[in-house]
Amino acid sequence: MAASNGGALPVVDLAPFFAGDGAHDNSARARAIEAVRQAGQATGFFRAVNHGVPRELMARALELSAAFFALPDEEKAKVRPAEASNAPLPVGYARQPAHSADKNEYLLLFNPKLGLNHYPAEPAGLRGALEECFAKLADLGLLIQDILNECMGLPRGFLAEYNADRDFDFLTALRYFPATADENNGSSAHEDANCITFVLQDDVGGLEVLGVDGRWVPAEPVDGTIVVNVGDVLQVLSNKKFKSATHRVVRRPEAHRHSIVFFLNLHGDKWVEPLPEFAADVGEPPRYRGFRYNEYMQLRMRNKSHPPSRPEDVVHITHYEI
């Protein structure tokens, strides 16, 4: 994870949230909260530093996942449940189908406490590293959720109570294939359906964020930092005041790109609609009709399993716009 100047992503220092309650810390917290608010309302993306996830753990998890993806395809294909799983998404190893415009493979896991995951036997240590990453990133997700709660001016603890179930959070380790002479798409431009996403990445680069001016901004790797983005759920709850970040991955020639992505998700049974604080209470009409989160997740999954022939038929959160 080589250092870089980090491009144009705003940087948020989370150190004061791990410190005491002195006046200096309160001032630093206020600056961090304001930085998250500005980023959330502009592009939905920022870079977190001093976030509480050990740098050594991040590097080890990326290194071990890269070793797994370097195994022969027939070995990776064994890392799948033998029978149908109760997991909200298929756990274990998968590769994007040939008809997909996205060119990557991944290993997906849910909260280890649920007993749903399927792990590779090799390399040694991968399971432990990914499970430790999961725990650390879940804690970080709850911290960022509390910060966003304050940014949004919501009653204390509202988002923590609304999104208290951690059974739908998931983590993916990904490998993107090198670009070819004909195409370089790793992950098509999209927004994340969930609440908050964290990205750990190696030194290859390729993640890009759509800026406020409509141009793509590289989210270049910076050693020890975590890229954070807001998802569709918070965009709907805030009645479009906070932005679900549009991003993509552009593959690089002659290099595999490795990343680990954590999704702080919402339980499938939750109802999602603009909150009164952003609509009726301030005299603004709702920008979205309400929906059950699982319904939206199923539509998004169908985008992957049965890609529409026309790009305009791909389901985004605009499906619920009024």
Side-chain angles (χ1 to χ4, degrees):
M1 294 184 293
S4 156
N5 63 11
L9 287 193
V11 176
V12 178
D13 187 350
L14 298 177
F17 297 95
F18 297 94
D21 293 320
H24 173 74
D25 295 319
N26 289 336
S27 174
R29 288 187 189 192
R31 288 194 299 272
I33 290 168
E34 179 58 26
V36 171
R37 178 187 290 111
Q38 291 181 10
Q41 293 178 343
T43 64
F45 253 93
F46 63 91
R47 188 186 302 280
V49 299
N50 299 316
H51 41 65
V53 182
R55 181 177 300 194
E56 178 276 333
L57 171 62
M58 296 164 60
R60 176 161 46 94
L62 284 165
E63 180 179 348
L64 288 169
S65 65
F68 165 72
F69 289 120
L71 294 173
D73 288 346
E74 57 269 23
E75 290 300 313
K76 291 181 287 189
K78 296 176 183 178
V79 189
R80 295 182 181 131
E83 301 176 355
S85 167
N86 293 323
L89 296 170
V91 297
Y93 172 78
R95 183 170 179 157
Q96 297 291 354
H99 61 251
S100 173
D102 298 344
K103 305 299 180 187
N104 60 68
E105 56 185 342
Y106 58 90
L107 184 67
L108 186 149
L109 61 145
F110 282 89
N111 189 331
K113 296 177 182 178
L114 300 176
L116 299 172
N117 297 326
H118 203 68
Y119 298 95
E122 298 292 336
L126 175 60
R127 174 176 179 169
L130 292 180
E131 289 189 348
E132 191 176 350
C133 268
F134 192 106
K136 292 288 187 182
L137 292 170
D139 287 344
L140 179 60
L142 298 182
L143 171 61
I144 298 296
Q145 183 171 260
D146 286 344
I147 293 172
L148 284 164
N149 192 96
E150 187 162 350
C151 290
M152 296 167 72
L154 297 173
R156 186 179 180 88
F158 174 84
L159 288 179
E161 182 177 349
Y162 175 76
N163 187 23
D165 192 310
R166 304 270 54 84
D167 288 357
F168 278 63
D169 298 344
F170 64 97
L171 178 149
T172 55
L174 297 106
R175 179 170 83 156
Y176 294 86
F177 305 111
T180 69
D182 299 321
E183 52 84 32
N184 63 358
N185 185 66
S187 182
S188 303
H190 67 284
E191 299 81 37
D192 292 341
N194 57 302
C195 299
I196 302 164
T197 303
F198 299 131
V199 180
L200 321 181
Q201 52 182 333
D202 64 10
D203 60 1
V204 172
L207 177 62
E208 297 183 349
V209 182
L210 190 63
V212 292
D213 60 357
R215 292 187 292 183
W216 291 101
V217 177
E220 294 292 355
V222 177
D223 190 28
T225 70
I226 295 177
V227 176
V228 184
N229 67 272
V230 170
D232 288 342
V233 169
L234 291 174
Q235 178 166 300
V236 173
L237 294 179
S238 69
N239 207 25
K240 231 174 182 178
K241 296 298 186 297
F242 281 72
K243 182 173 177 55
S244 183
T246 303
H247 53 288
R248 67 182 184 183
V249 174
V250 178
R251 287 150 48 218
R252 303 289 173 86
E254 300 179 2
H256 288 92
R257 175 184 184 267
H258 299 88
S259 64
I260 292 173
V261 186
F262 178 85
F263 300 88
L264 190 81
N265 215 354
L266 189 66
H267 192 283
D269 291 340
K270 294 297 286 188
W271 186 256
V272 185
E273 65 181 354
L275 297 172
E277 289 87 347
F278 294 95
D281 291 356
V282 291
E284 292 195 14
R287 308 284 293 274
Y288 300 94
R289 57 186 171 90
F291 57 91
R292 195 76 58 191
Y293 184 61
N294 190 57
E295 171 194 301
Y296 181 43
M297 287 293 293
Q298 294 300 319
L299 292 171
R300 290 286 298 250
M301 286 178 64
R302 188 168 178 81
N303 287 344
K304 296 287 188 182
S305 61
H306 299 80
S309 57
R310 301 188 308 164
E312 58 268 30
D313 292 333
V314 174
V315 174
H316 301 280
I317 197 61
T318 52
H319 179 75
Y320 297 101
E321 275 191 340
I322 297 174

